[in-house]
Amino acid sequence: TDGTNLYVADWDNNKIRKIVISSGAVTTFAGPPAGTTTASDTDNATASNARFDRPAGVTTDGTNLYVTDFGNNKIRKIVISSGEVTTLAGPPAGTKTAGDTDSDTPSNARFNGPFGITTDGVNLYVSDVGTHKIRKVVISSGAVTTLAGPPAGTTTAGSTDNATASNARFYNPAGVATDGTNLYVTDYRNNKIRKIVISSGAVTTFAGPPAGTT
């Protein structure tokens, strides 16, 4: 939300919907026009010409929306004022190669089923389901790094708390939220809520069965 509207990732309709909070009025903000649901991978300055493939999460910094485009394995940016859609990080428009690559060059970074997303206004934090880790995307540059979970190039799942972020393990992390200091992650297959200290990457189990049990 931006305080006035809600923005919803409409998974099976392959679009982003807008709901006016005061009235509940619903419109299609970006993606195929109402009544059509064509999935694809198209950036476009005209919002109705842009295409997504199972968008999952959405967050905002007040100026732009940032969407985890699950089926396209990338992070999309939508300018709220115009609806223009671009690819912020991940394989270039027209390609959807999955992978596990950190890179300062956003088009060289790879995700595998990005799902949850949140922001502190400077960075995006993404739960990358298929790689079992939490990724960080710098909004200003699109640079992608692994914040917590197995190092880039490895995707080992597990249920391990650790003060060293690269030694922590998740199993299909899904939702993610922040209070500005910590991230809170729904660790789907581990049946627990994990906490990540943003400044250090330290991972602990916040609620649910203790680390090592699921």
Side-chain angles (χ1 to χ4, degrees), residues 158-159 169-174 185-194 205-214:
S159 172
R169 294 293 179 268
F170 304 85
Y171 196 169
N172 296 145
V185 177
T186 53
D187 197 358
Y188 176 74
R189 295 289 292 275
N190 283 323
N191 300 304
K192 61 189 73 177
I193 309 302
R194 313 291 288 279
T205 295
F206 187 68
T213 64
T214 60

Side-chain angles (χ1 to χ4, degrees), residues 85-97:
V85 178
T86 54
T87 297
L88 178 67
T95 63
K96 56 175 66 181
T97 306

Side-chain angles (χ1 to χ4, degrees), residues 162-188:
N162 206 288
T164 302
S166 60
N167 291 335
R169 294 293 179 268
F170 304 85
Y171 196 169
N172 296 145
V176 60
T178 185
D179 59 10
T181 302
N182 305 300
L183 301 179
Y184 301 93
V185 177
T186 53
D187 197 358
Y188 176 74

Side-chain angles (χ1 to χ4, degrees), residues 31-185:
T36 64
T37 61
T38 306
S40 191
D41 175 27
T42 309
D43 289 342
N44 205 286
T46 302
S48 61
N49 290 336
R51 295 293 179 269
F52 304 86
D53 187 353
R54 290 166 291 160
V58 59
T59 192
T60 183
D61 58 10
T63 301
N64 304 301
L65 302 181
Y66 302 95
V67 176
T68 50
D69 197 358
F70 180 86
N72 284 321
N73 297 305
K74 64 190 68 177
I75 310 303
R76 313 290 288 280
K77 182 176 96 170
I78 307 174
V79 180
I80 293 175
S81 61
S82 67
E84 178 182 11
V85 178
T86 54
T87 297
L88 178 67
T95 63
K96 56 175 66 181
T97 306
D100 176 30
T101 308
D102 290 343
S103 184
D104 288 337
T105 303
S107 61
N108 290 337
R110 294 293 178 268
F111 301 86
N112 188 355
F115 194 86
I117 189 169
T118 191
T119 185
D120 58 12
V122 177
N123 303 302
L124 304 173
Y125 302 96
V126 176
S127 57
D128 200 10
V129 174
T131 66
H132 310 295
K133 62 189 71 176
I134 307 302
R135 315 289 290 278
K136 183 176 90 168
V137 184
V138 180
I139 292 174
S140 61
S141 67
V144 177
T145 54
T146 296
L147 178 69
T154 63
T155 59
T156 307
S159 172
T160 309
D161 291 342
N162 206 288
T164 302
S166 60
N167 291 335
R169 294 293 179 268
F170 304 85
Y171 196 169
N172 296 145
V176 60
T178 185
D179 59 10
T181 302
N182 305 300
L183 301 179
Y184 301 93
V185 177

